[in-house]
Each structure stands twice: as C-alpha cells, then as structure tokens.
C-alpha cells in the first residue's frame, strides 16, 4: 500500500482495471521478508510433492497485487518457473475468485454430462479468496481472477519458485 501511495503507477502485467502490481521483490530478499517463515515450509512441501528435492537450491521471486472494485487479472501463466502461488493477506467478500484453467484444449470438448460430481473438475476450478489462504499450483497452469466488486482492497503476495540446477527425481 505504501508503494501504491508513493508511485500511483504500478507494473502492468495481467492486472487490469483498478489493480496495482508492485515492483518485484519489493521488500528485498525473500528469505528476509515477513512471510518467509510462514510460507517456506509449505513451498518446500509442494516442491517435494511435485517430485523435486526440497533441500535443493531454490529462487523465489515475489510481488504484491492490490485490487479494488473493477480490478481483475487476465488469463496468463508464469513461464520459466516450477510452482507459482498466491497468499491472500486481505480478501474481502466480492474481491474476485481465482480461476485455474486446464491447459489441455481437448478438455474443452469433453462433456460433463453423466460425470460424477466428485470428478467434475473439468475445465476450470474456482478458488474463493479468503484472508490467510495460500494457493500453490504448477506455473504452467493458466489462471485468471474475476473482477472485484468490493471497495475494500484484496491484497495478495504472489510468487514464483524456480529450482536452481536441479534434475527431476525419477
């Protein structure tokens, strides 16, 4: 919020409308940020679950997005990263759902008719924003955020995890 007040113009990526994107790594080195102690064990678990050595060297780049009524994010992915995430520090009602999109275009042709409700994660998965919620997903997964309809800001820390010189385990 301080950066927004000082500059009024943030970075423009997928964020559109009334949405402010901070500079990358705006608080300095990730390991020295307030969220590192909270997020690092969860990120390590996701890296391990994804089949990589969690003890290996990683690089984490991060930024924050502050979104007000009328703000949203267009569909995009995070190339050249392994895992991406969003941590909601403020998520008022109506602040826009995160929509994860199946990148396999053939899935667009499948019908959901007759499919069991428990298996109906078809083309999209919507994630309702909640303060304190952490969402981790493969960086290749396309995603977008619905338009916010509330006046109070939704504030997230987004980040990308990159493995440094690691070969995937078999």
């Amino acid at each position: 919020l301080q950066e927004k007040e000082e500059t009024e113009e943030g970075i423009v990526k997928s964020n559109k409308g009334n949405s402010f994107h901070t500079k990358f790594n705006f608080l300095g080195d990730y390991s020295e940020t307030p969220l590192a102690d909270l997020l690092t064990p969860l990120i390590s678990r996701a890296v391990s679950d994804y089949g990589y050595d969690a003890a290996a060297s990683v690089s984490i780049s991060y930024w924050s997005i502050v979104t007000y009524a009328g703000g949203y994010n267009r569909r995009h992915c995070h190339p050249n990263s392994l895992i991406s995430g969003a941590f909601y520090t403020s998520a008022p009602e109506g602040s826009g759902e995160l929509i994860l999109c199946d990148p396999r275009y053939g899935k667009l042709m499948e019908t959901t008719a007759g499919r069991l409700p428990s298996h109906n994660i078809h083309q999209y998965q919507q994630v309702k924003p909640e303060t304190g919620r952490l969402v981790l997903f493969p960086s290749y997964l396309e995603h977008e955020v619905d338009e916010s309809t509330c006046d109070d800001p939704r504030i997230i820390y987004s980040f990308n995890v990159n493995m440094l010189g690691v070969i995937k385990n078999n």
Side-chain angles (χ1 to χ4, degrees):
L1 290 175
Q2 180 181 349
E3 184 177 330
K4 182 180 183 331
E5 289 173 11
E6 291 173 359
T7 65
E8 275 305 310
E9 286 188 31
I11 296 171
V12 176
K13 297 289 239 174
S14 67
N15 54 306
K16 301 295 176 197
N18 198 4
S19 185
F20 180 85
H21 186 304
T22 66
K23 297 174 189 166
F24 291 94
N25 302 329
F26 65 98
L27 295 174
D29 185 78
Y30 166 79
S31 64
E32 297 178 21
T33 65
L35 293 176
D37 289 341
L38 173 68
L39 298 181
T40 300
L42 301 169
I43 292 170
S44 293
R45 180 177 171 193
V47 165
S48 179
D49 287 350
Y50 204 52
Y52 288 81
D53 182 356
S57 182
V58 299
S59 169
I60 298 176
S61 59
Y62 66 91
W63 59 97
S64 187
I65 298 179
V66 181
T67 305
Y68 296 90
Y72 63 97
N73 287 75
R74 291 187 332 197
R75 185 182 293 193
H76 65 286
C77 66
H78 297 214
N80 304 315
S81 299
L82 179 68
I83 294 173
S84 295
F87 179 71
Y88 295 88
T89 60
S90 174
E93 190 67 33
S95 60
E97 291 188 346
L98 172 65
I99 302 169
L100 302 170
C101 311
D102 191 326
R104 299 172 294 173
Y105 292 106
K107 295 298 278 182
L108 296 174
M109 301 303 169
E110 283 187 9
T111 179
T112 58
R115 188 173 286 204
L116 298 172
S118 62
H119 292 84
N120 228 357
I121 51 174
H122 186 56
Q123 300 161 10
Y124 306 103
Q125 266 305 107
Q126 293 181 274
V127 179
K128 183 177 178 168
E130 293 179 15
T131 300
R133 173 171 271 173
L134 172 64
V135 181
L136 299 170
F137 52 92
S139 297
Y140 67 80
L141 197 61
E142 293 179 335
H143 55 285
E144 60 190 82
V145 179
D146 276 340
E147 184 175 329
S148 180
T149 59
C150 65
D151 293 326
D152 294 326
R154 182 192 73 223
I155 303 172
I156 63 166
Y157 283 92
S158 290
F159 54 89
N160 289 325
V161 178
N162 297 299
M163 304 303 291
L164 302 177
V166 175
I167 298 173
K168 189 168 182 175
N169 296 332
N170 291 331

